[in-house]
Amino acid sequence: MSGAGPVFVSDAEVRELLPVSTAIAAMREVMRAFSTGEVTQPVRTVLRPPARGGAHPGLFGSMPAHVPFDGEWWFGIKSVVVREDNPARGLPTHVGTVTVFAPDTGLPVAVLPADTVTELRTAAVSAVAVDALALPGPTTLAIAGAGAQARAHVAAVAAVRPVRRVRLWSRRRESAAKLAEWVRAEHGLDVEVFGTPAEAASGAGVICTTTAAREPILDDADVAPGATVCAVGACQPGARELSSRLVAGTTVVLDSAEAAEREASELLVPRREGLIGPDHPRGELGAVLAGAVPGRGDERERIVYLSLGLAAQDVATAVLVAKRHTEWTGPRP
């Protein structure tokens, strides 16, 4: 792994080398390792320059981590620029790289596209949360949003639960219709598009919010007893997908308690409003996986998994892909 210069792994190669089931298994392990203290990782650094000449440069995020993988310890870092105006250019909002370094020499080993890694690892962690927290058996899946994360979440949740039907909502109905076509073609599932997030979420056992919303799109009455919500879109301070009443009325599980204290407006706003206290979250998903924190209590309990995204997830994903890439000696059959 530490011979020549770094390998630049393409989007297509990442997807080829990282099937959904493999990504889920890797994320299950890294989340457990994170919550048991085996990962070294600061909360991400975000650079927000001022607008100049009427044009805002977006923001730059830096997310380093040191993670265990197959008995070795790896350094890695995700460097990403967020440009909300990129979709108009036909580009993703999050662009950048994930770089991993050889555990023996520290030389850079591989560079991967950050948007692809983020998409796949986020959905895989949501699947881990669903597997650990959602009711067993067949379920109805609701998805808010119709972008890459929405598509990835359909595939990931279907890998851990038998999905009976999919209910979709997006601000752009045509985008939801295109996603519905893909779900039917790729997964053979019954799909329906709805006009509001509340309609899509109604009666669903698993709800994944994958939007760029700044204000809540789901309220307390929209989530049925026993449902599990994976909220992944509001990963920056100031953004929320879930109302204060919904958060206050549910059991909350986090990816990182430290990051949530700094970045999770979905917790910080209802706390300022006096609806919850600092002890409202049950704990981290990794602690549930390790058996240190209880998971689901009963079949009517509503659980929210708040995902901010961790550098450890990016680095572990990149290490897995890099190691597989070195073993890949030609085109796949």
Side-chain angles (χ1 to χ4, degrees):
M1 298 289 292
S2 56
V7 172
F8 288 81
V9 187
S10 70
D11 169 273
E13 289 173 326
V14 173
R15 295 180 189 279
E16 174 73 15
L17 295 165
L18 192 68
V20 172
S21 59
T22 301
I24 292 170
M27 293 303 96
R28 184 178 289 112
E29 177 55 27
V30 79
M31 294 304 290
R32 184 205 61 78
F34 177 82
S35 292
T36 55
E38 299 173 58
V39 169
T40 303
Q41 175 194 301
V43 175
R44 71 184 127 214
T45 299
V46 178
L47 182 64
R48 303 175 187 271
R52 291 184 173 88
H56 198 281
L59 61 85
F60 178 83
S62 175
M63 300 169 61
H66 189 232
V67 303
F69 194 96
D70 283 349
E72 299 176 314
W73 294 86
W74 291 73
F75 282 111
I77 185 168
K78 180 164 80 171
S79 304
V80 61
V81 174
V82 179
R83 290 295 304 247
E84 299 296 342
D85 53 349
N86 263 0
R89 303 182 176 99
L91 296 171
T93 56
H94 292 61
V95 290
T97 59
V98 182
T99 305
V100 291
F101 304 84
D104 50 355
T105 65
L107 292 172
V109 168
V111 180
L112 290 74
D115 56 323
T116 310
V117 171
T118 303
E119 172 195 329
L120 299 178
R121 62 81 158 156
T122 303
V125 178
S126 290
V128 172
V130 169
D131 201 32
L133 303 171
L135 291 170
T139 191
T140 295
L141 170 63
I143 302 281
Q149 280 293 353
R151 183 174 298 198
H153 273 74
V154 173
V157 173
V160 297
R161 287 291 187 276
V163 176
R164 292 181 298 192
R165 62 184 62 88
V166 180
R167 302 165 66 89
L168 302 177
W169 170 83
S170 174
R171 282 192 170 86
R172 296 179 61 202
R173 194 175 181 91
E174 61 271 25
S175 297
K178 288 181 180 178
L179 178 59
E181 291 175 7
W182 177 86
V183 172
R184 293 187 191 102
E186 293 294 321
H187 296 278
L189 295 171
D190 178 31
V191 191
E192 189 172 357
V193 175
F194 292 86
T196 68
E199 290 171 342
S202 178
V206 175
I207 303 165
C208 298
T209 57
T210 67
T211 73
R214 303 296 295 180
E215 297 297 330
I217 59 171
L218 288 179
D219 204 352
D220 190 53
D222 302 330
V223 177
T228 299
V229 180
C230 294
V232 307
C235 57
Q236 299 175 32
R240 293 198 295 160
E241 295 180 302
L242 313 181
S243 75
S244 296
R245 288 181 298 182
L246 175 54
V247 171
T250 56
T251 296
V252 175
V253 176
L254 310 170
D255 54 6
S256 166
E258 181 184 9
E261 282 295 317
R262 287 178 48 176
E263 299 181 330
S265 292
E266 278 163 326
L267 280 181
L268 300 177
V269 171
R271 188 185 299 178
R272 287 198 299 269
E273 295 170 344
L275 296 177
I276 64 172
D279 59 347
H280 182 69
R282 176 166 289 174
E284 295 177 343
L285 176 60
V288 174
L289 299 173
V293 170
R296 172 169 291 276
D298 59 58
E299 64 181 16
R300 291 186 60 81
E301 183 179 21
R302 300 182 303 167
I303 302 179
V304 167
Y305 171 61
L306 285 182
S307 170
L308 294 170
L310 305 179
Q313 299 164 355
D314 298 298
V315 174
T317 300
V319 170
L320 173 59
V321 171
K323 290 172 76 70
R324 288 188 155 210
H325 195 277
T326 63
E327 299 163 2
W328 193 16
T329 56
R332 290 294 200 193

